[in-house]
Amino acid sequence: MYGLEAINASNGWAISVVGVTIVFTGLVMLSIVIAQLYKVLALWENPSKIKALFKKKQPEKPREEQISNRVVFAESQKEVVKQFALLVRTMTDHFSLPRLLQLALISDLKDPYLNLNNLFKTKIIVPDGSGFFTWDKDMFDKLVS
Amino acid sequence: MSNIKEILKESSVFICLGEDERVSLAQLFEKREIQAGDILATAEDAAQYFFLLNNGTVLLAMDEGKSVVLNKAGDFIGFELLSAKGVYRTTLTVLESGSVFAVPTQDFLAFIQKESVAATAIMTAWQGYLDKTASFAKNIEDISLPYNF
């Protein structure tokens, strides 16, 4: 038996199709790897990007947790924050921050600048968009009370 | 960040500048350490410096009890936010220690007048920055006249 007859008899067509498929798939995969090689080279040249890559993958913590993690009030600071709360109660709902600072200085509160800054960072004091500020009682209760 | 060129590059007000302009402008700034409670500018005093925040937090107290807290690297404290006609109109108090880059107002305004293309870009970016940061402070009618500040 020779020629096409022999190919048919030995499953030659199927074998050749499988062979071509394997070779073609291999070439496609190789081309994909080469096409993405520049990214690996960029990471090789700048290793800090690898760290950034892992940082991005960390799950985002809830916003309030992030805030409370950033500024944690010590017991002594909580007392000062409560004193700030008392001062704010003597003011209007939309109060002046420089006025609050002035009152804190007059009242001789401990570390008035630092504590006012902490109140702003923890979003207990929130800007109202018109140059004045409001007191977020919920956040205050959550972080201090 | 601690390099003035990096800060200028990151600042939304100066991000529009070209490399050469940024280098020229950077030479005008000097770094200053700031401590909580420091007063960087007092209303009614002669306006000597504008400031670019590096780190820390500052409270900008305006008239009628209004104020704005600035705490991002690249926040620019100048123009109508700080002064009018050569006089500080606001008081700048440090809430959290850190550092700023100070630029003499006269040198800065001279740079603005000399580099007209850069000036236009800076003033356009400034208006956008002011809209985001303290839109209530916008009250200068003609921003093209340096003596306004």
Side-chain angles (χ1 to χ4, degrees), chain A residues 95-99 101 112-114 116-117 120-121 129-133, chain B residues 36-37 57 59 61 64-69 71 93-96 135-136:
Chain A
F95 58 86
S96 162
L97 205 58
R99 176 68 183 148
L101 178 62
Y113 303 101
L114 182 69
L116 190 65
N117 187 47
F120 186 79
K121 274 187 174 175
S130 65
F132 294 96
F133 293 78
Chain B
T57 307
L59 171 66
E64 297 171 349
K66 292 181 180 179
S67 62
V68 62
V69 175
N71 54 11
T93 308
V94 179
L95 294 183
E96 185 186 20
S135 55
F136 52 87

Side-chain angles (χ1 to χ4, degrees), chain A residues 25-35:
Chain A
T25 307
L27 288 172
V28 167
M29 288 177 70
L30 190 63
S31 66
I32 290 170
V33 169
I34 291 171

Side-chain angles (χ1 to χ4, degrees), chain B residues 53-116:
Chain B
L53 190 65
N54 182 27
N55 52 28
T57 307
V58 293
L59 171 66
L60 193 66
M62 302 166 194
D63 50 5
E64 297 171 349
K66 292 181 180 179
S67 62
V68 62
V69 175
L70 300 169
N71 54 11
K72 294 185 196 74
D75 275 342
F76 185 60
I77 308 147
F79 297 128
E80 68 260 47
L81 207 51
L82 194 62
S83 68
K85 295 183 168 52
V87 175
Y88 285 136
R89 53 193 286 266
T90 55
T91 297
L92 192 57
T93 308
V94 179
L95 294 183
E96 185 186 20
S97 302
S99 59
V100 294
F101 290 97
V103 57
T105 52
Q106 293 305 316
D107 293 353
F108 184 79
L109 295 174
F111 174 86
I112 291 274
Q113 283 176 302
K114 197 173 76 177
E115 303 282 347
S116 60

Side-chain angles (χ1 to χ4, degrees), chain A residues 4 7 15-16 19 21 24 30-31 34 45 49-50 54 59-60 63 67 77-78 92-93 96 100-101 125 136:
Chain A
L4 294 176
I7 293 172
I15 292 169
S16 61
T21 305
F24 189 75
L30 190 63
S31 66
I34 291 171
E45 284 176 0
K49 284 183 178 176
I50 298 173
F54 285 107
E60 276 196 23
R63 198 164 149 262
I67 291 163
Q77 282 179 314
K78 283 184 181 178
T92 53
D93 287 347
S96 162
L100 178 62
L101 178 62
I125 286 178
D136 188 332

Side-chain angles (χ1 to χ4, degrees), chain B:
Chain B
M1 279 186 286
S2 59
N3 185 319
I4 178 62
K5 286 176 199 163
E6 283 177 31
I7 299 278
L8 288 172
K9 214 172 182 175
E10 295 293 323
S11 171
S12 60
V13 178
F14 302 105
I15 198 169
C16 49
L17 295 181
E19 185 64 24
D20 292 345
E21 293 158 336
R22 200 175 297 127
V23 169
S24 306
L25 187 58
Q27 291 169 350
L28 304 178
F29 285 85
E30 61 176 33
K31 193 176 180 181
R32 286 191 195 171
E33 300 300 321
I34 54 175
Q35 303 298 324
D38 285 355
I39 307 289
L40 298 182
T42 306
E44 307 301 327
D45 283 0
Q48 290 182 307
Y49 294 96
F50 289 158
F51 303 94
L52 187 64
L53 190 65
N54 182 27
N55 52 28
T57 307
V58 293
L59 171 66
L60 193 66
M62 302 166 194
D63 50 5
E64 297 171 349
K66 292 181 180 179
S67 62
V68 62
V69 175
L70 300 169
N71 54 11
K72 294 185 196 74
D75 275 342
F76 185 60
I77 308 147
F79 297 128
E80 68 260 47
L81 207 51
L82 194 62
S83 68
K85 295 183 168 52
V87 175
Y88 285 136
R89 53 193 286 266
T90 55
T91 297
L92 192 57
T93 308
V94 179
L95 294 183
E96 185 186 20
S97 302
S99 59
V100 294
F101 290 97
V103 57
T105 52
Q106 293 305 316
D107 293 353
F108 184 79
L109 295 174
F111 174 86
I112 291 274
Q113 283 176 302
K114 197 173 76 177
E115 303 282 347
S116 60
V117 178
T120 307
I122 288 172
M123 294 313 294
T124 305
W126 169 253
Q127 293 304 307
Y129 169 76
L130 210 53
D131 280 334
K132 281 186 198 164
T133 312
S135 55
F136 52 87
K138 289 176 82 171
N139 66 349
I140 297 294
E141 289 174 5
D142 189 352
I143 59 170
S144 64
L145 301 173
Y147 64 77
N148 273 329
F149 310 110

